[in-house]
Amino acid sequence: MKKLDKYIIYTKSILAFSIGLLIAGCSAEDELGTSSTGQQLDFVPMINDLQNTRVAAEEGLHEKDLFSLDFKMFDSNNNKHIDKQIVNPEEGKAEKIGDGNWKDEFKLETGKNYCYYAVANGNDLKGKSLNELLTATMHDDNIWKTYLKESDKKFLMSSMGNYTIGQEETQTIPVELVRAAAKIKLNIISTVSGYDIKDVKWKFANYNTNTSVFAGQTATPNITSNTASNEAQQIEANKYAVTTYSYATTWTGKDDAPQIIAEITFVNKDDKSKEVTKTYNIPVRDPQEDKKLERNYIYTINANIKYLDTETHIDYNKDLG
């Protein structure tokens, strides 16, 4: 009995936010889309993009859409100074927090440092205290779905940081938003001699649907599996792709590890009437690596099926990992 060969490659990419955006001045404001001429306090939402490059198929997933944004600012004594909600903000465009004598309006002191918190596409956080913010959670039974399956798909994003009030009458706070979800990309490639593949279907097992709004906070995981079969996207002959998501999670072993269950039909090239369907359990992380999914990471799995035999589970060979 031959062993099913495969390889798996993981990509963890976090795009660093440019520190240059923190520099106050007209040139930075122009670049970020700030156009205010009088006294005004703005913030500019910027999304920490998982993709180094984006093809049309990635844009179609709408992972950067902003539907709502809560922005709050507190002092060192946890007193709230700003509680602002924006509907349909735009990435890279300045959103007004206040104008006129905004320092007096929000009781902000020049030279004093304040903590800000921002949440995009979350639940209504208007009026929440700092403690309520930090303990806030979000549940999404459909976190695994892409925009193509759920047209009102919203990705929870958050940001926290510090800002020192300067002397300028107009100031802009850059806000880097980070997604709460981990992204999983599976590529299935068959090079089985004498066979083509078709009708590739998949299910996702042991993913997490519950998360804290902010990183570093604790939310009780809700681990579940979707039981309905989904069609994988055909990229070309004998190559299919799956994109799915999970909130951050950890596990202890093979049985509770997140995995994609792929059902693949092999068709004999010489006799199309001869078909065989096989099922492969594909962990989203190499069992030899950390047993966790982290927020705002991409995990890319390339499963190369080389032989057709009775083995129905993909396991991991260290030499191929």
Side-chain angles (χ1 to χ4, degrees):
M1 182 185 301
K2 292 183 178 179
K3 184 178 181 181
L4 178 65
D5 290 323
K6 86 300 160 225
Y7 65 91
I8 183 164
I9 300 172
Y10 294 97
T11 303
K12 304 175 184 176
S13 54
I14 295 183
L15 183 62
F17 187 58
S18 173
I19 192 67
L21 298 181
L22 294 174
I23 301 174
C26 294
S27 60
E29 290 176 0
D30 290 342
E31 182 180 348
L32 292 172
T34 304
S35 59
S36 58
T37 56
Q39 299 184 60
Q40 188 160 308
L41 178 64
D42 301 319
F43 72 89
V44 176
M46 306 293 288
I47 298 174
N48 184 314
D49 201 349
L50 294 174
Q51 302 290 143
N52 290 324
T53 58
R54 280 190 171 267
V55 297
E58 292 290 345
E59 293 292 349
L61 295 176
H62 293 259
E63 294 171 341
K64 300 177 70 175
D65 287 0
L66 297 174
F67 296 90
S68 63
L69 198 152
D70 284 87
F71 182 88
K72 303 178 189 298
M73 183 174 278
F74 297 83
D75 61 27
S76 58
N77 293 317
N78 298 341
N79 297 310
K80 188 191 306 175
H81 290 256
I82 296 174
D83 190 352
K84 188 78 172 180
Q85 283 185 324
I86 303 293
V87 178
N88 296 324
E90 295 181 30
E91 182 189 14
K93 179 182 177 181
E95 300 289 349
K96 184 177 72 174
I97 300 173
D99 54 15
N101 198 348
W102 53 267
K103 291 183 182 179
D104 286 347
E105 177 185 354
F106 298 121
K107 297 180 174 56
L108 299 172
E109 299 179 24
T110 299
K112 189 172 181 178
N113 187 270
Y114 297 85
C115 297
Y116 66 80
Y117 298 83
V119 179
N121 305 335
N123 298 322
D124 185 5
L125 297 174
K126 185 70 175 177
K128 299 295 185 182
S129 67
L130 179 57
N131 183 63
E132 289 172 322
L133 276 182
L134 295 179
T135 57
T137 61
M138 188 164 176
H139 185 88
D140 183 0
D141 285 328
N142 294 324
I143 184 61
W144 66 276
K145 292 183 178 181
T146 67
Y147 178 88
L148 301 177
K149 289 183 172 293
E150 186 180 49
S151 59
D152 60 346
K153 180 77 175 182
K154 298 178 182 179
F155 288 92
L156 173 66
M157 309 177 204
S158 63
S159 175
M160 63 175 72
N162 296 286
Y163 185 78
T164 300
I165 303 299
Q167 296 182 354
E168 299 82 4
E169 292 183 344
T170 296
Q171 298 180 39
T172 300
I173 305 172
V175 175
E176 181 189 18
L177 295 166
V178 175
R179 293 179 192 84
K183 180 178 181 178
I184 296 102
K185 297 173 67 175
L186 167 65
N187 299 307
I188 298 174
I189 304 167
S190 174
T191 57
V192 176
S193 178
Y195 287 85
D196 290 321
I197 61 173
K198 71 170 187 177
D199 300 335
V200 177
K201 296 179 172 56
W202 64 279
K203 301 175 184 178
F204 193 14
N206 301 328
Y207 59 93
N208 182 22
T209 64
N210 198 51
T211 184
S212 58
V213 170
F214 290 98
Q217 305 302 313
T218 302
T220 302
N222 185 67
I223 306 303
T224 188
S225 302
N226 75 299
T227 56
S229 291
N230 305 278
E231 293 185 2
Q233 178 187 9
Q234 184 170 8
I235 306 301
E236 57 188 50
N238 297 315
K239 182 177 181 179
Y240 286 75
V242 171
T243 298
T244 189
Y245 309 91
S246 171
Y247 286 134
T249 185
T250 60
W251 57 94
T252 58
K254 179 180 177 181
D255 292 339
D256 61 342
Q259 56 188 298
I260 293 174
I261 303 168
E263 184 179 277
I264 304 172
T265 299
F266 295 83
V267 182
N268 189 293
K269 290 182 179 180
D270 297 326
D271 185 350
K272 304 295 185 183
S273 66
K274 293 183 178 179
E275 298 182 356
V276 58
T277 299
K278 304 184 80 58
T279 300
Y280 303 94
N281 289 18
I282 307 173
V284 301
R285 292 207 66 175
D286 189 325
Q288 303 304 317
E289 295 192 359
D290 293 339
K291 294 177 173 59
K292 63 181 179 180
L293 294 179
E294 299 183 67
R295 58 201 293 151
N296 204 45
Y297 272 58
I298 294 179
Y299 298 88
T300 300
I301 309 113
N302 295 316
N304 190 351
I305 305 172
K306 296 182 178 180
Y307 304 106
L308 183 64
D309 54 27
T310 56
E311 175 63 60
T312 57
H313 290 235
I314 294 180
D315 62 353
Y316 291 84
N317 185 306
K318 194 170 184 180
D319 294 332
L320 298 172

